[in-house]
Amino acid sequence: MIPRVLLAHSMFWPNVARLAIAFRGVGFAVDAVAPKGHPIHRMQSPNRTFEYRATSAYKSLKDSIAASGPDLIVPCDDRIVAHLHDIYAEVASACDSLDDRGIRSLIESSLGPPGSYDLIRRRSFLTSLGQLPHVHVPQTAAIDSLRDLLDWVHQHGLPAVLKLDGSSGGSGVLLIRNRSEVVPGFLRMMLRKSWLRRMKWLLYDGDVEPFFTASSFSAAQVSVQSYVEGSLANCAVACWRGNVVGWASVEVLQCGRTFGVASVVRRVRGEPMIAAARSIARHLELSGVFGFDFVLEENSRQAKLIEINPRATQINHFPGYDGPDLPGALFSAIRNEPLENFSVRPSPDEVALFPQEWKRDPSSEWLARAFHDVPYEEPELLRYFGYRGSERSLPHSHWTKSERKPRPAGDLGQ
């Protein structure tokens, strides 16, 4: 049996395209649903693609799942996660047909059990995880009013970070350094939930979906978290029924902007981060792919968990540092095969992410110094981002593969 994965994306980030290459490479049949105009519709890695329509987002995702019939769904952004939660709730309340049971089983295999859905989407939930082994969390709390924020600051002090649930790429994160910034910071965060913010998304980003799912934005929770001085790091993990089966860990060397996405990273073993991820996955019985963001505290180097992303992140396609990669591990899990022992050759540690670092600074020294992770096997993706770099000018042209040969995909068809 060749397992089929449906990669689901509502935006124009490159991670869904990179995942299509990675999942196809280990033997999956790959389907994808993404907005019209996304380069994945013109790439060779997916077997089939479906259109995600912002004006009928929920229906277009449901239709894509029905047409694909996947063994696994990988959400690539938070909106898709929210839609999958809603689909699960809808079929759970319907008549208990074979189709309904199949959808519930599929979503549980892709995300974990429903008891974790509301919890893991709320950043304030991190506090309760601090009781688990190997998990260290800064002071974090939900705030519903300015009075809540003022009381929290009085008790825990500054600096602190305000965060808006459902935001990504640093767009819903705000640093408060001193007391004079508390009230303006709170008001700015409330504005980000408003219709004015949605109008900005429409005018500058061409993003119409917030106008069709307004309630999810107005209901988003604001949380406050103690600011931790140190270096950013994160790990991506593949989980299967509560067990972490594949992982990739990095320390961040360069960001596009403050609180923005990383553009250059260093691959590391990341044992403290993986230990925390294992503890949380076991506690919540997670399945699918998840990203865990940390700050490595400046003095102690203790890994402080600051965020959980219940979706794919931009390093999910990385090869394993000292173990199985995420797509390969999920392939084995779905087929109920034992994980193989990987004999991994040395791979580049410093990685300039494509297209993030190139877009940040086309003349960046990192593009010559680090491995530039350019997907030359998919020229449509390069054309979409306007990339015209030369493969010959780079210190490395491709990831160094493991000794294991890729599993044949077979005649997957359309």
Side-chain angles (χ1 to χ4, degrees), residues 218-341:
S218 60
Q221 176 71 60
V222 176
S223 62
V224 60
Q225 186 176 82
S226 293
Y227 178 74
V228 180
E229 194 71 46
S231 56
L232 297 174
N234 54 71
C235 69
V237 299
C239 305
W240 194 250
R241 297 171 183 169
N243 295 312
V244 171
V245 294
W247 57 88
S249 300
V250 299
E251 292 185 20
V252 177
L253 302 178
Q254 178 73 57
C255 286
R257 57 186 173 84
T258 303
F259 299 123
V261 297
S263 58
V264 183
V265 297
R266 177 187 295 116
R267 297 173 67 235
V268 296
R269 293 187 185 279
E271 289 96 337
M273 293 187 285
I274 300 302
R278 288 186 190 280
S279 188
I280 295 169
R282 190 178 304 112
H283 177 69
L284 296 177
E285 300 180 2
L286 299 180
S287 277
V289 296
F290 291 80
F292 294 78
D293 293 344
F294 296 85
V295 174
L296 303 180
E297 203 167 30
E298 193 170 55
N299 296 323
S300 68
R301 297 295 288 175
Q302 186 180 69
K304 292 290 186 73
L305 177 66
I306 59 172
E307 192 164 328
I308 301 177
N309 297 299
R311 54 172 172 79
T313 62
Q314 60 180 350
I315 64 169
N316 287 102
H317 67 286
F318 277 24
Y321 192 97
D322 55 0
D325 57 81
L326 277 69
L330 288 170
F331 187 99
S332 294
I334 289 173
R335 288 165 60 106
N336 198 27
E337 297 175 345
L339 285 173
E340 299 180 11
N341 292 321

Side-chain angles (χ1 to χ4, degrees), residues 35-341:
K36 183 179 180 180
H38 195 288
I40 198 166
H41 293 294
R42 301 186 300 277
M43 288 170 49
Q44 297 300 311
S45 296
N47 300 98
R48 298 175 296 182
T49 65
F50 308 98
E51 184 182 343
Y52 179 90
R53 301 180 299 276
T55 55
S56 56
Y58 185 77
K59 183 178 186 302
S60 62
L61 179 58
K62 284 185 65 177
D63 291 346
S64 300
I65 295 171
S68 173
D71 301 287
L72 179 73
I73 304 171
V74 175
C76 296
D77 62 73
D78 293 298
R79 290 181 188 171
I80 296 295
V81 174
H83 290 321
L84 291 175
H85 291 173
D86 290 342
I87 291 172
Y88 188 96
E90 178 183 306
V91 298
S93 62
C95 60
D96 194 27
S97 67
L98 283 175
D99 287 344
D100 290 339
R101 289 199 294 272
I103 290 292
R104 292 203 303 269
S105 177
L106 170 63
I107 294 178
E108 288 184 18
S109 295
S110 304
L111 301 177
S116 68
Y117 296 169
D118 287 339
L119 299 176
I120 208 164
R121 284 171 60 190
R122 295 197 175 274
R123 289 175 163 123
S124 58
F125 172 62
L126 290 180
T127 299
S128 64
L129 299 178
Q131 307 301 315
L132 298 177
H134 311 295
V135 180
H136 306 281
V137 181
Q139 290 289 341
T140 306
I143 56 171
D144 297 318
S145 66
L146 178 58
R147 172 48 57 192
D148 289 343
L149 178 57
L150 291 170
D151 290 343
W152 189 93
V153 169
H154 178 75
Q155 182 177 358
H156 300 290
L158 295 172
V161 180
L162 292 179
K163 297 182 176 183
L164 181 64
D165 288 345
S167 61
S168 55
S171 62
V173 180
L174 183 64
L175 176 63
I176 299 176
R177 300 173 184 83
N178 53 63
R179 290 186 175 274
S180 66
E181 297 177 343
V182 173
V183 174
F186 178 81
L187 295 177
R188 285 177 61 188
M189 193 58 70
M190 293 299 104
L191 183 63
R192 294 183 183 188
K193 298 172 59 175
S194 71
W195 280 97
L196 291 176
R197 184 67 173 177
R198 291 176 211 138
M199 187 63 70
K200 180 266 178 189
W201 284 330
L202 175 63
L203 295 177
Y204 291 93
D205 304 325
D207 188 359
V208 302
E209 183 166 344
F211 286 87
F212 293 89
T213 54
S215 60
S216 64
F217 288 86
S218 60
Q221 176 71 60
V222 176
S223 62
V224 60
Q225 186 176 82
S226 293
Y227 178 74
V228 180
E229 194 71 46
S231 56
L232 297 174
N234 54 71
C235 69
V237 299
C239 305
W240 194 250
R241 297 171 183 169
N243 295 312
V244 171
V245 294
W247 57 88
S249 300
V250 299
E251 292 185 20
V252 177
L253 302 178
Q254 178 73 57
C255 286
R257 57 186 173 84
T258 303
F259 299 123
V261 297
S263 58
V264 183
V265 297
R266 177 187 295 116
R267 297 173 67 235
V268 296
R269 293 187 185 279
E271 289 96 337
M273 293 187 285
I274 300 302
R278 288 186 190 280
S279 188
I280 295 169
R282 190 178 304 112
H283 177 69
L284 296 177
E285 300 180 2
L286 299 180
S287 277
V289 296
F290 291 80
F292 294 78
D293 293 344
F294 296 85
V295 174
L296 303 180
E297 203 167 30
E298 193 170 55
N299 296 323
S300 68
R301 297 295 288 175
Q302 186 180 69
K304 292 290 186 73
L305 177 66
I306 59 172
E307 192 164 328
I308 301 177
N309 297 299
R311 54 172 172 79
T313 62
Q314 60 180 350
I315 64 169
N316 287 102
H317 67 286
F318 277 24
Y321 192 97
D322 55 0
D325 57 81
L326 277 69
L330 288 170
F331 187 99
S332 294
I334 289 173
R335 288 165 60 106
N336 198 27
E337 297 175 345
L339 285 173
E340 299 180 11
N341 292 321

